[in-house]
């Protein structure tokens, strides 16, 4: 998979975040599946997507709040992993992919602020020229696409060109699972566990244990 | 009053673009204008532009209810001031209902289910999420336009309907259930006991409403510590 092509695909997927539809395709667990399928390793794509999803489970875009870009993190994390993995150890690839994903989420959030500020100019333009409503409004698709493309391309260039020395820290899948499940559980407890629902959490844990044992 | 199928489809398609040009100045203002102009006759364009130019913000899926009711009001030649008042009241009511239902309940619950199923059964997890989420989301988008157009101003009372409360309860329970499932994923291994203090730390941070950015930095730090150690 060419990094330019993956940046284009990523930029199309990220349109789903708010610019078109919001069908959930940009959620890390889904984008991880798509990118994994493109690289011919569905299992790793879903694993990475699922882990990153747990980190960004609670990011709620309510009102003017723009949380860190979890959707971009999913695309960056999975894409980077598959670019790094062929030339490096799995532990190294996982570590760098996670770091790039989390940094990408922060940079993506900042870029989103600027994109939305640019969209303000389109709003002001409509105040002056009423006839260009459709063009100005749909220009938002271009700004959202470019935001994604210019976020992904440099990160994928870095990911595909680095060679990690053997002494560099490695992140095992077990360690990644511990960290991500912890924050996923915290998000789940924060969102769902109340006096009225705690009994279902206990039932879920017991069912999970039973499934693991048998 | 009923919408024709081609008009309904045009409005439905346009609602997918409601947030396309989201900005801090007008939020979904341009998207709302775009939806109304697609859904009404060309003669009303100037009137709509004059009345609704500016701020509009609600939940993107629930906007359909307001769009349907507003288009009906324009079809019935309702005075623009009255329409503006309805839109101002309705957008906040539908925003809080939609945020609570979709952003805080349905989406995270289904994503939790997708993650648990994805880890155990692979592709089934994300597919289950996509199918169930889009059935619910498209239902609200489509039914919102139809209900809004059929009920007019009274569409605001839809928020009291049982289907909203039931959906919220069902997904809260599902979220809590799969939260339990997730905890079972990491049991039986000594190394995984580390998840307990980490979960407590993250839960405390979330309950104390620490900024998401700080939480992300802590996660990054923990990843580096785990990798180095």
């Amino acid at each position: 998979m060419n990094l330019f092509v993956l940046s284009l695909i990523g930029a199309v997927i990220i349109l789903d975040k708010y610019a078109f539809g919001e069908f959930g395709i940009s959620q890390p667990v889904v984008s991880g599946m798509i990118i994994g399928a493109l690289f011919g390793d569905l299992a790793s794509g879903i694993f990475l997507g699922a882990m990153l999803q747990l980190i960004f489970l609670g990011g709620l875009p309510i009102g003017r709040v723009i949380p860190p870009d979890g959707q971009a993190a999913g695309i960056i994390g999975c894409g980077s992993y598959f670019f790094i993995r062929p030339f490096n150890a799995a532990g190294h690839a996982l570590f760098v992919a996670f770091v790039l994903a989390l940094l990408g989420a922060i940079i993506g959030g900042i870029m989103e602020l600027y994109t939305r500020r640019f969209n303000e100019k389109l709003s002001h333009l409509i105040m002056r020229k009423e006839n260009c409503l459709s063009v100005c409004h749909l220009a938002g698709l271009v700004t959202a696409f470019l935001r994604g493309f210019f976020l992904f391309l440099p990160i994928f260039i870095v990911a595909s060109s680095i060679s990690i020395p053997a002494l560099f820290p490695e992140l095992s899948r077990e360690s990644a699972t511990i960290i991500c499940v912890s924050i996923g559980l915290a998000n789940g407890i924060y969102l769902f566990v109340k006096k009225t629902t705690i009994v279902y959490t206990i039932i879920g844990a017991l069912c999970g244990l039973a499934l693991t044992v048998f | 009053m009923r919408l024709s199928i081609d008009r309904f489809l045009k409005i439905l398609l346009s609602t997918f673009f409601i947030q396309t040009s989201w900005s801090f100045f007008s939020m979904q203002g341009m998207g709302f204008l775009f939806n109304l102009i697609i859904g009404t006759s060309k003669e009303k364009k100037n009137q709509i532009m004059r009345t609704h130019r500016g701020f509009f913000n609600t939940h993107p899926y629930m906007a359909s209810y307001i769009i349907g009711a507003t288009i009906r009001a324009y079809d019935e030649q309702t005075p623009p001031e009255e329409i503006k008042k309805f839109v101002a009241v309705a957008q906040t009511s539908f925003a809080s209902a939609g945020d609570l239902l979709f952003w805080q309940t349905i989406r995270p619950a289904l994503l939790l289910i997708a993650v648990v199923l994805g880890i155990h059964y692979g592709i089934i997890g994300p597919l289950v999420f996509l199918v169930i989420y889009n059935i619910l989301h498209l239902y609200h988008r489509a039914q919102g336009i139809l209900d809004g157009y059929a009920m007019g101003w009274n569409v605001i009372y839809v928020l009291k309907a049982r289907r909203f409360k039931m959906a919220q309860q069902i997904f809260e329970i599902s979220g809590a259930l799969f939260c339990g499932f997730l905890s079972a994923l990491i049991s039986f291994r000594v190394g995984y006991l580390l998840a307990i203090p980490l979960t407590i730390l993250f839960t405390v941070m979330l309950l104390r409403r620490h900024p998401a950015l700080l939480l992300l930095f802590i996660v990054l730090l923990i990843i580096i510590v785990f990798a180095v150690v």
Side-chain angles (χ1 to χ4, degrees), chain B residues 69 135 145 190 194:
Chain B
I135 288 172
I145 298 166
V190 179
L194 273 168

Side-chain angles (χ1 to χ4, degrees), chain A residues 17-25 27 29-30 33 42 46-47 49-51 53-64 66-68 71 95 98-99 102-103 105-106 112-117 119-120 122-124 126-134 136-141 143-144 169-171 173-194 196-198 200-209 211-213, chain B residues 13-27 30-35 37-38 45-46 49-50 53-55 57 60-61 99-100 103-112 114-115 118-127 129-130 133-134 137-138 141 168-169 171-189 191-196 198-199 202-203 206-207 209 212-213 215-217 219-220 222-224 226-228:
Chain A
K17 188 181 177 191
Y18 65 89
F20 175 69
E22 297 187 68
F23 301 105
I25 299 161
Q27 292 298 330
V29 69
V30 182
M33 175 187 77
L42 204 60
I46 293 172
F47 170 78
M51 291 301 119
Q53 186 69 70
L54 288 172
I55 297 175
F56 295 99
L57 199 66
L60 308 171
I62 293 170
R64 285 174 188 264
I66 298 178
Q71 285 93 329
F95 176 67
F98 264 94
V99 171
L102 297 182
L103 292 177
I106 297 165
E112 200 170 317
L113 283 175
Y114 284 105
T115 311
R116 291 181 175 196
R117 281 196 190 135
N119 287 347
E120 262 176 40
L122 298 173
S123 287
H124 292 306
I126 288 176
M127 296 289 177
R128 295 194 299 273
K129 292 180 182 174
E130 291 181 353
N131 290 335
C132 62
L133 172 71
S134 299
C136 287
H137 176 57
L138 295 175
L141 282 174
T143 59
E170 287 189 49
L171 185 71
R173 277 197 175 207
E174 277 197 0
S175 299
T177 309
I178 292 168
I179 299 164
C180 296
V181 169
S182 302
I183 193 163
L185 266 174
N187 275 318
I189 291 166
Y190 176 68
L191 289 166
F192 303 114
V193 182
K194 302 168 188 167
T196 50
T197 56
I198 196 159
Y200 297 103
T201 311
I202 295 165
I203 293 170
L206 292 175
C207 291
L209 284 175
L211 279 174
T212 319
V213 174
Chain B
L13 188 66
S14 74
T15 62
F16 293 138
F17 295 92
I18 188 153
Q19 298 214 102
T20 300
S21 58
W22 199 104
S23 69
F24 290 108
F25 170 67
S26 62
M27 292 191 147
M30 280 207 281
F32 184 58
L33 270 176
F34 178 74
N35 290 169
I37 283 167
I38 294 277
K45 190 181 170 185
N46 286 337
M49 288 296 284
R50 274 197 307 276
R53 206 163 44 177
F55 180 87
N57 192 47
Y61 304 158
D99 286 345
L100 187 66
W103 289 170
Q104 288 187 42
T105 313
I106 294 179
R107 193 170 72 178
L110 283 172
L111 285 171
L112 203 56
V115 166
I119 291 169
H120 279 295
Y121 306 109
I123 198 167
I124 292 172
L127 291 182
F129 165 75
L130 279 178
Y133 185 70
N134 282 306
H137 139 227
L138 291 172
R141 287 228 200 239
Q168 199 185 328
Q169 278 174 348
F171 284 97
E172 265 179 9
I173 289 169
S174 310
L177 198 73
F178 274 83
C179 206
F181 263 110
L182 191 67
S183 65
L185 269 182
I186 51 165
S187 56
F188 290 132
R189 292 182 204 174
Y192 281 21
L193 285 174
L194 273 168
I196 298 169
L198 286 180
T199 306
F202 292 132
T203 310
L206 286 168
L207 289 172
R209 296 179 188 274
L213 214 58
L215 201 73
L216 217 57
F217 274 116
V219 175
L220 194 61
I222 291 170
I223 286 174
I224 293 168
F226 266 68
V228 172

Side-chain angles (χ1 to χ4, degrees), chain B residues 73-93:
Chain B
Y74 276 104
D75 286 355
E76 289 177 333
Q77 316 280 352
T78 310
E81 295 76 31
E82 222 175 282
I83 301 176
K84 216 174 169 181
K85 273 183 199 166
F86 163 75
V87 171
V89 173
Q91 60 179 302
T92 47
S93 309

Side-chain angles (χ1 to χ4, degrees), chain A residues 55-105:
Chain A
I55 297 175
F56 295 99
L57 199 66
L60 308 171
I62 293 170
R64 285 174 188 264
V65 175
I66 298 178
D69 195 343
Q71 285 93 329
I75 295 166
I76 291 168
C78 296
S80 302
Y81 177 81
F82 289 115
F83 282 128
I84 299 167
R85 180 70 190 91
F87 312 106
N88 299 283
H92 286 146
L94 199 61
F95 176 67
V96 177
F98 264 94
V99 171
L100 287 176
L102 297 182
L103 292 177

